[in-house]
Amino acid sequence: MSAVPASGSGASAPRPHKPVPFAPVDFEPFVGGADPARVSEAAHLAAAALVHQGRASTDPAVTRRLVKLADKEGLEAIAELWAESPPRSLPGALWRLYALRAATVQNPERMAAYFREGRYVAQVQHVVAGVAEPPGADELRSMADSILSGAFDGEFDVALERSAAYCRVVALGQTHHADAAEQANEPHATKLTRSARQLVKTAEDLEASARAWRRGELI
């Protein structure tokens, strides 16, 4: 399995250009048949190269290309490389940043609805996430791009913490929707509750990764 090219070009074989459907509940590792040690090495090397390239460049066009990497290559291509990485590692953290952006870009209205519900309970996380007011679909898409951009042209730990805050606000919104839907649609309510729990776990992993980055231990 080859690494995802950092610039979105030079791949040895064509990749899908349409991101696969994705939602935050789908963070379970993808099953793969390659040698785990080689996959892990490739994942870490690719993640380190991507972050280094982005942070070493002062060209906004480079940052834009990195942010839209999953749009060009397909989220599945990134998942093949990074989804099985430990959540509290550099490739694991990058996977979650890309996956959250993809979930937001593909379902901005739904994510905005969850965010609006959750922000009334989680005022601090709402501010940390940094979404504009009122938090509609366009604002959520802009925020998702801004968070991922910050991983390459800002403080990486701050990008992780903003993403974690976003997860927590959306999770609270999902819980509220689940409570409202429990009587009328119990399976849907159960799915929302499960997704909310997974998002909270994702937030915890991102926060731990941010702390590890500050200590110079996120690899």
Side-chain angles (χ1 to χ4, degrees), residues 113-189:
Y114 294 149
F115 192 93
R116 284 193 297 270
E117 291 289 345
R119 68 177 177 152
Y120 294 116
V121 181
Q123 289 294 331
V124 173
Q125 286 89 349
H126 170 217
V127 172
V128 172
V131 66
E133 293 288 348
D138 290 341
E139 287 74 21
L140 264 290
R141 279 191 292 256
S142 295
M143 184 208 64
D145 282 352
S146 172
I147 289 176
L148 190 50
S149 294
F152 302 115
D153 63 10
E155 298 298 326
F156 191 77
D157 55 330
V158 173
L160 296 177
E161 288 173 337
R162 288 184 66 194
S163 189
Y166 177 44
C167 287
R168 290 188 181 278
V169 176
V170 171
L172 284 169
Q174 289 181 328
T175 300
H176 184 275
H177 276 256
D179 291 342
E182 189 169 8
Q183 295 298 323
N185 191 340
E186 186 174 350
H188 179 59

Side-chain angles (χ1 to χ4, degrees), residues 1-4 39-40 42-43 46-47 76-85 91:
M1 178 171 54
S2 61
V4 177
V39 171
S40 177
E76 189 174 36
I78 296 176
E80 287 176 0
L81 189 61
W82 290 340
E84 293 187 38
S85 299

